[in-house]
Amino acid sequence: MYRFLLFLSLFCSLAAQAQKPGGVRGSVIDSTSKEGLNDATVSVVTAKDSSLISFALTSNSGFFEIKNLDTGSYVLMISYQGYPNILKAFGITTDKPVVDFGSIKADQEYKAMKEVILNSTPPVQIKGDTLAYNAGAFKTKPNATVEDLLKKLPGVQVERDGTVKTQGENVQKIYVDGKEFFGNDPKMATKNLTADMIDQVEVYEEQSEQSRFSGVDDGNRTRTINLKLKKDKKKGLFGRVGAGVGTDGRYESNASVSYFKGSSKLSLVARSNNINSIGFTQGDITGVGVGGGGNNNSAASAPGITRNTNAGLNYSDLWGKKTEVTGSYFFNNSNTNNTSSSYRQTFFTDSTLNRNQRSVNDNSSSNHRLNMRLTYQIDSFNSVIYTPNVSIQHSENDRFTGTQTFAQKGTQEYRLNDNTSSIHNEGNGSNWGNNLLFRHRFRVRGRTFSINLSNTWNNSDRDGLTDSKFGFYTQGIKTKDSLVQQINRTVNGTNNYGLSASYTEPIGRDKVLELNYAYNNNSNSNDRSVYDYNNFTGEYDLVNQLQTNRFRNNNESNRLGANLRVVKKKYNYQMGMAVQQLELSSNNLSKGAIIRQTFNNLFPTGSFNYRFARSKNLRFDYRGRTNQPSATQLQPIRDVSNPLYQTEGNPALRQEYSNNFTLMYNSFNMMRFRNLFTRFTFGNTYNKIVNSVTQLGKGVQLNRPVNADGAYNMSGVVDFGVPISKQKGGNINTTTNFNLNRDVSLADGVKNYTNNLVIGENVRVNYNYKEKLDLGISGGVSYNRARNTLNARQNNTYYRYLASADVSYIFPRNFVLSTDVDYTATTGLTAGFNQSFLLWNASFAHQMFKNKRGELKLTVFDILKQNRSINRNIADNYIEDVQNTVLQRYFMLTFTWNLSKFGAAQQGGRGGNQMIRMGR
């Protein structure tokens, strides 16, 4: 805690030292009307070399003020559309630190003294619903990745595993110049592209293809980031390759190479290492489970040690004048080894089950992914978009566990059972999806028609071998031994196809009416065969009838709706209503039982957007939706492969219905460079599918899904940022967030409402001094509280403190010293799981050769050898603390070569200069 407060005190001292005494102010008015010119750009440049120091926009009255100027000679430059540029020289001295120009008149006859070229944009701009960050205003260390850049942006968070969040929501897509980059995997861009390539980062919620075409929101939004490349990165061959070797057998190699020529863009990424740097998002379509890591420091506390090799190719181009194509292929092979220990408390009305478990896991997987997007512009009124994707995966998992469970009633505690097990799973999966969209625009403006066809087919088969030994106790005395030896085979299949159509008709100049229809059919199959070991034959040839089952599930829906969108100068809104009929059928082929259900639902929708000013807007959204149970949740078969934790489906499950409300407010003060981003959400769910846990005796539990009401969720994020010095020096950013989640579960048939409250505060300071020192410091605390209606023993409160600092300094002769420190402390967990540790990494590099294209770097990871991974899980009627194996101290020597066919190599984080050229 002392160290945490020390970091916060450093924030204040940095901000205080960054303040400068000088300033300039005045008002820009029209010489004829004498009215103020709103949003005129006022810039301050040095008189010596015309370097941009700061800038601002005038207010509604034409007033401007620029503070924090050092003593020296400057030129004030004023530009406004339709008026010639105005330049005025001035100086800041200790005797006269503030210069007031009073009223500065602008007219069409004013002759500019010099030609001015301004290559600068504000650090943050609000363009409609899009937040646009000027990457050059946020300095990063040399050879930084896009992930490093995103960490410095106000309102953007990067989790330890590399997941990117904006305003509390996960980013699901990252584009490069508006084009897909290796499909929809955000980490492929953030972990493989360098920060020096990026000119601007755009953050927004992307609507569906049909919505963007028709102009009517269908509610299908995806949190998206678009990375706009610098102009000099849009032509030529560039990238970097590197390799390293370290102690304890650690190694890494990587390559990221791009070739751009006109509309043709080709990118290659590849890496191989055993330091948890995977560079992409892992997925599992086999049901076996895959191990993971992250990237560099973000993977410091990732569970297990991961060896990974992957390679991919991304391509985009224009074929002729009418066809645009984007495609990618990616291959990955990984293996993760992890040893974990956990302590779980499961609460019932009259007792508590305490479980200690230790497990050893070995996960391996390999997969191939192929994505494509083809856009054909038939003519100026018609176009077709086709997006197929294919993925194939093979996974294997070996798990060895030892478990002890104790029952606690009052002050008494006694052993209920113990277990040792060996489980092997192996699976294959494949997925194929297609989406075809036809769009037609009529000659009448605003009248459109579009139709979308989609199909998804996937199949997975999994084979498993279980060898488990159980001991059961009565009042602490062993009374029974049980042995489970069986093999199982599960085959799952899904076939989904849908059709949606939309027609829009303009009503007057500012209104659009949309009629829409959607049909969807989703078929699932789940076949499971289980065979027990036969002591007489020595084979697994005894069919386990209780666990063997063939099951089919189908849901078919028809939905018809209408929306009205109204667009005014300052605001726009949309209202809509849809009606849907859904038929759900479940067919247990093994038992010859069929259950059919029909649901009729109304789906009201609404949105409102108000723009107070160019950089200030408010938005409200409401959506209703349904969620159908999966085939596994419906399948009425009891899985006792783990006799202590049995599961069973429920064919009588009904669909869920959710209401979701969102309120957002974004503001950026162009005069003071202050940003405020807020987002609040509320959602509740009727007939939510929850877990019902029943005790069967001797510590054996049965988990069965049921429907229950009473679940809701509230969340909020407030992000506020101010500059240390506009365009120079850095910024201070604070993020406040809360989440209140009320969930429902049943324990022995009694409802339990769990209220989880999380409140967090984080402060980050980014500071850059004369392009030599790059400093980032952050500190945060989160308060976590869980309350339960069924059993007060499950109530718990704990705190987590996080503080970090990352520093890099460029010495003469191109030597670079970098270090980062992360301090983590947790209080309130189970005894033995509370943690307080310091993760300290450092590197020393030398940039060499012409244009600094080569870099030799020595890195030390976890200098103090304190790294660890401890997490708390709260779900249903239990609390669990888990500790995993993590990477610890190693040394590594790496060499990196920067490729640049056109021009000098650009060094990451030192670009983005706001340069002005002035001439006679």
Side-chain angles (χ1 to χ4, degrees):
M1 185 65 182
Y2 168 76
R3 296 172 185 170
F4 176 73
L5 295 175
L6 184 63
F7 276 113
L8 292 181
S9 67
L10 185 55
F11 294 165
C12 301
S13 63
L14 274 171
Q17 294 172 13
Q19 299 301 315
K20 299 169 185 177
V24 60
R25 61 176 176 249
S27 296
V28 183
I29 63 173
D30 184 274
S31 62
T32 302
S33 67
K34 309 301 181 184
E35 294 182 351
L37 298 182
N38 181 28
D39 284 345
T41 300
V42 182
S43 305
V44 174
V45 301
T46 59
K48 180 181 179 180
D49 59 9
S50 301
S51 296
L52 180 66
I53 299 301
S54 187
F55 71 91
L57 296 183
T58 57
S59 65
N60 292 333
S61 64
F63 177 77
F64 68 88
E65 183 174 19
I66 297 175
K67 298 180 180 180
N68 297 325
L69 299 178
D70 277 329
T71 57
S73 298
Y74 300 96
V75 174
L76 183 75
M77 184 190 71
I78 301 171
S79 60
Y80 192 80
Q81 186 175 1
Y83 292 76
N85 294 315
I86 300 173
L87 294 116
K88 289 182 176 291
F90 71 97
I92 299 294
T93 64
T94 54
D95 296 332
K96 190 179 180 181
V98 178
V99 176
D100 190 342
F101 279 101
S103 295
I104 302 174
K105 297 179 181 179
D107 61 49
Q108 298 291 343
E109 301 301 320
Y110 184 90
K111 185 176 180 180
M113 294 169 55
K114 300 177 180 180
E115 176 195 8
V116 180
I117 297 176
L118 176 64
N119 296 321
S120 175
T121 56
V124 183
Q125 292 178 294
I126 297 178
K127 306 174 182 178
D129 292 335
T130 299
L131 294 175
Y133 299 90
N134 173 21
F138 302 92
K139 309 299 182 183
T140 56
K141 59 188 177 182
N143 292 317
T145 63
V146 169
E147 181 179 276
D148 297 320
L149 171 64
L150 295 179
K151 290 178 181 179
K152 294 180 175 289
L153 304 184
V156 179
Q157 301 87 40
V158 180
E159 303 294 318
R160 284 183 173 270
D161 65 352
T163 300
V164 180
K165 290 186 175 182
T166 64
Q167 297 180 323
E169 285 196 342
N170 288 352
V171 172
Q172 297 169 287
K173 289 183 179 180
I174 291 187
Y175 294 128
V176 177
D177 271 346
K179 303 293 191 300
E180 289 186 351
F181 190 74
F182 287 96
N184 296 328
D185 186 351
K187 294 181 184 178
M188 289 299 297
T190 61
K191 294 180 179 296
N192 293 287
L193 298 180
T194 55
D196 69 310
M197 301 174 60
I198 310 304
D199 178 58
Q200 198 172 76
V201 179
E202 296 178 332
V203 178
Y204 57 96
E205 283 189 314
E206 184 183 56
Q207 297 179 338
S208 67
E209 291 279 2
Q210 279 184 304
S211 293
R212 297 202 299 274
F213 176 71
S214 66
V216 179
D217 190 358
D218 62 5
N220 296 317
R221 290 175 174 261
T222 303
R223 182 65 64 167
T224 304
I225 287 179
N226 180 39
L227 303 172
K228 298 183 70 174
L229 300 180
K230 295 177 180 177
K231 290 183 179 179
D232 63 340
K233 296 297 183 182
K234 295 184 179 183
K235 182 179 181 180
L237 175 69
F238 55 89
R240 63 179 181 178
V241 294
V245 61
T247 57
D248 300 327
R250 302 293 170 213
Y251 68 91
E252 68 168 333
S253 60
N254 59 79
S256 178
V257 181
S258 296
Y259 177 72
F260 292 173
K261 183 178 180 180
S263 60
S264 299
K265 298 180 180 179
L266 187 65
S267 297
L268 169 70
V269 298
R271 67 174 62 202
S272 180
N273 63 79
N274 60 356
I275 55 172
N276 288 16
S277 178
I278 64 173
F280 69 100
T281 302
Q282 287 187 302
D284 180 22
I285 59 176
T286 64
V288 172
V290 294
N295 183 43
N296 302 330
N297 291 345
S298 63
S301 298
I305 310 297
T306 299
R307 173 199 54 76
N308 175 260
T309 298
N310 61 66
L313 195 66
N314 191 82
Y315 169 75
S316 65
D317 200 356
L318 287 175
W319 293 352
K321 296 181 179 180
K322 294 186 176 183
T323 305
E324 178 181 321
V325 63
T326 300
S328 65
Y329 166 76
F330 186 75
F331 166 77
N332 171 71
N333 179 271
S334 65
N335 175 262
T336 300
N337 292 293
N338 181 38
T339 299
S340 65
S341 58
S342 65
Y343 178 74
R344 176 185 290 193
Q345 291 181 289
T346 304
F347 302 94
F348 293 93
T349 53
D350 61 345
S351 62
T352 302
L353 300 184
N354 302 321
R355 188 200 72 180
N356 288 294
Q357 185 178 83
R358 181 176 176 82
S359 64
V360 178
N361 284 274
D362 183 3
N363 296 305
S364 62
S365 69
S366 61
N367 62 68
H368 303 262
R369 299 192 313 217
L370 183 64
N371 298 279
M372 187 176 181
R373 176 188 171 93
L374 188 69
T375 303
Y376 179 59
Q377 193 71 37
I378 302 172
D379 52 40
S380 58
F381 296 101
N382 300 279
S383 63
V384 175
I385 300 176
Y386 176 53
T387 53
N389 62 82
V390 177
S391 60
I392 301 172
Q393 179 177 327
H394 174 78
S395 301
E396 294 185 33
N397 169 258
D398 287 290
R399 178 180 174 90
F400 306 91
T401 62
T403 305
Q404 292 181 329
T405 305
F406 297 82
Q408 183 178 345
K409 290 187 177 182
T411 58
Q412 291 185 330
E413 185 179 48
Y414 49 87
R415 179 178 294 189
L416 279 181
N417 58 63
D418 53 36
N419 157 245
T420 57
S421 64
S422 172
I423 299 174
H424 173 79
N425 286 302
E426 184 172 347
N428 295 285
S430 55
N431 184 86
W432 177 36
N434 295 277
N435 196 85
L436 182 65
L437 173 64
F438 170 75
R439 305 181 300 185
H440 175 70
R441 195 181 303 276
F442 294 87
R443 295 186 182 275
V444 177
R445 185 176 182 180
R447 182 181 295 168
T448 67
F449 174 75
S450 60
I451 185 169
N452 190 85
L453 302 173
S454 63
N455 171 261
T456 301
W457 174 87
N458 63 63
N459 181 75
S460 67
D461 59 85
R462 184 176 72 250
D463 294 303
L465 171 64
T466 301
D467 189 349
S468 300
K469 182 179 180 181
F470 299 86
F472 296 94
Y473 297 75
T474 301
Q475 297 297 319
I477 300 174
K478 181 180 282 191
T479 57
K480 179 183 178 183
D481 283 321
S482 176
L483 189 64
V484 174
Q485 293 177 299
Q486 59 183 209
I487 60 172
N488 63 81
R489 179 174 178 80
T490 303
V491 179
N492 294 318
T494 299
N495 187 16
N496 176 277
Y497 58 92
L499 177 149
S500 62
S502 169
Y503 173 79
T504 62
E505 179 68 28
I507 305 175
R509 298 181 60 184
D510 56 6
K511 301 179 183 65
V512 176
L513 176 67
E514 185 219 22
L515 302 176
N516 59 76
Y517 169 76
Y519 171 81
N520 189 77
N521 188 295
N522 188 73
S523 299
N524 298 277
S525 63
N526 190 310
D527 296 340
R528 177 178 169 87
S529 303
V530 179
Y531 298 89
D532 293 324
Y533 181 74
N534 190 331
N535 291 316
F536 295 102
T537 63
E539 302 288 340
Y540 292 90
D541 55 12
L542 297 177
V543 178
N544 189 317
Q545 297 291 349
L546 292 177
Q547 297 183 55
T548 297
N549 187 264
R550 297 176 62 214
F551 188 77
R552 301 292 182 270
N553 166 251
N554 179 264
N555 62 74
E556 184 180 35
S557 64
N558 289 272
R559 176 170 171 162
L560 183 65
N563 292 287
L564 175 66
R565 179 172 173 80
V566 179
V567 180
K568 300 291 185 180
K569 183 177 180 180
K570 283 278 191 179
Y571 64 91
N572 62 77
Y573 63 89
Q574 180 178 313
M575 299 180 297
M577 178 67 73
V579 59
Q580 175 180 281
Q581 183 180 77
L582 182 140
E583 295 183 358
L584 180 66
S585 64
S586 302
N587 187 358
N588 188 339
L589 299 179
S590 298
K591 296 182 178 180
I594 300 177
I595 297 178
R596 291 187 175 91
Q597 302 178 77
T598 301
F599 302 95
N600 296 297
N601 294 107
L602 293 177
F603 294 92
T605 63
S607 66
F608 177 80
N609 189 81
Y610 187 85
R611 185 167 305 284
F612 299 93
R614 188 173 69 174
S615 58
K616 187 184 299 184
N617 73 294
L618 176 75
R619 194 180 88 207
F620 171 79
D621 283 299
Y622 165 74
R623 290 288 182 273
R625 65 179 180 85
T626 60
N627 182 51
Q628 283 70 47
S630 68
T632 302
Q633 292 173 322
L634 292 166
Q635 191 170 16
I637 179 175
R638 182 170 298 188
D639 183 357
V640 295
S641 55
N642 185 343
L644 301 181
Y645 301 96
Q646 303 176 16
T647 60
E648 184 178 61
N650 179 6
L653 283 177
R654 292 168 290 170
Q655 66 173 358
E656 299 177 339
Y657 186 90
S658 299
N659 296 291
N660 299 281
F661 302 84
T662 302
L663 181 66
M664 296 176 60
Y665 175 78
N666 295 324
S667 173
F668 180 71
N669 188 318
M670 303 295 287
M671 293 287 291
R672 300 180 180 273
F673 281 27
R674 292 181 178 177
N675 60 268
L676 175 65
F677 311 139
T678 63
R679 179 186 179 90
F680 299 95
T681 66
F682 173 81
N684 68 329
T685 303
Y686 297 101
N687 290 325
K688 184 174 182 180
I689 299 173
V690 303
N691 291 321
S692 175
V693 182
T694 304
Q695 294 187 88
L696 302 181
K698 296 188 181 297
V700 178
Q701 301 174 41
L702 173 63
N703 193 318
R704 191 170 187 264
V706 297
N707 292 106
D709 292 331
Y712 64 82
N713 179 274
M714 298 174 60
S715 67
V717 176
V718 178
D719 192 277
F720 179 70
V722 295
I724 294 176
S725 176
K726 281 185 269 183
Q727 291 296 96
K728 294 186 68 177
N731 66 298
I732 302 174
N733 195 75
T734 68
T735 302
T736 305
N737 63 81
F738 79 90
N739 186 283
L740 175 60
N741 182 71
R742 189 196 199 204
D743 217 337
V744 188
S745 62
L746 282 80
D748 288 334
V750 180
K751 274 190 178 181
N752 178 44
Y753 295 96
T754 302
N755 296 281
N756 292 322
L757 174 65
V758 179
I759 301 176
E761 179 68 32
N762 182 270
V763 180
R764 181 170 180 87
V765 174
N766 297 313
Y767 184 74
N768 183 270
Y769 180 71
K770 294 185 177 181
E771 302 294 324
K772 294 290 185 182
L773 172 67
D774 183 49
L775 173 65
I777 303 176
S778 66
V781 58
S782 65
Y783 168 77
N784 303 262
R785 189 193 72 178
R787 295 293 183 266
N788 300 269
T789 59
L790 180 63
N791 194 329
R793 295 191 304 274
Q794 193 177 353
N795 297 342
N796 71 99
T797 300
Y798 71 96
Y799 293 84
R800 175 161 291 173
Y801 306 92
L802 300 170
S804 65
D806 52 272
V807 185
S808 65
Y809 187 83
I810 301 178
F811 291 92
R813 299 183 183 276
N814 302 318
F815 286 95
V816 182
L817 176 64
S818 299
T819 185
D820 59 84
V821 180
D822 291 298
Y823 172 72
T824 303
T826 307
T827 61
L829 301 184
T830 304
F833 286 85
N834 287 311
Q835 60 181 341
S836 175
F837 70 93
L838 198 68
L839 177 61
W840 181 19
N841 310 317
S843 67
F844 189 66
H846 178 50
Q847 295 171 327
M848 56 187 69
F849 305 122
K850 185 180 179 180
N851 298 320
K852 305 177 186 177
R853 291 193 176 182
E855 181 186 75
L856 185 66
K857 181 169 66 174
L858 176 65
T859 302
V860 186
F861 175 82
D862 190 17
I863 296 174
L864 303 179
K865 205 174 182 179
Q866 291 188 9
N867 189 30
R868 66 194 69 172
S869 170
I870 297 178
N871 297 292
R872 165 158 287 194
N873 302 316
I874 301 176
D876 296 330
N877 64 329
Y878 71 81
I879 299 173
E880 181 180 46
D881 294 323
V882 183
Q883 182 168 358
N884 296 286
T885 300
V886 293
L887 275 173
Q888 288 195 318
R889 184 171 58 209
Y890 66 86
F891 294 76
M892 181 166 287
L893 183 67
T894 58
F895 178 77
T896 302
W897 178 260
N898 291 290
L899 303 171
S900 181
K901 185 177 180 180
F902 298 101
Q906 303 268 335
Q907 292 306 303
R910 323 323 293 180
N913 60 320
Q914 294 75 33
M915 180 176 165
I916 294 179
R917 185 176 77 246
M918 305 176 68
R920 296 284 181 185

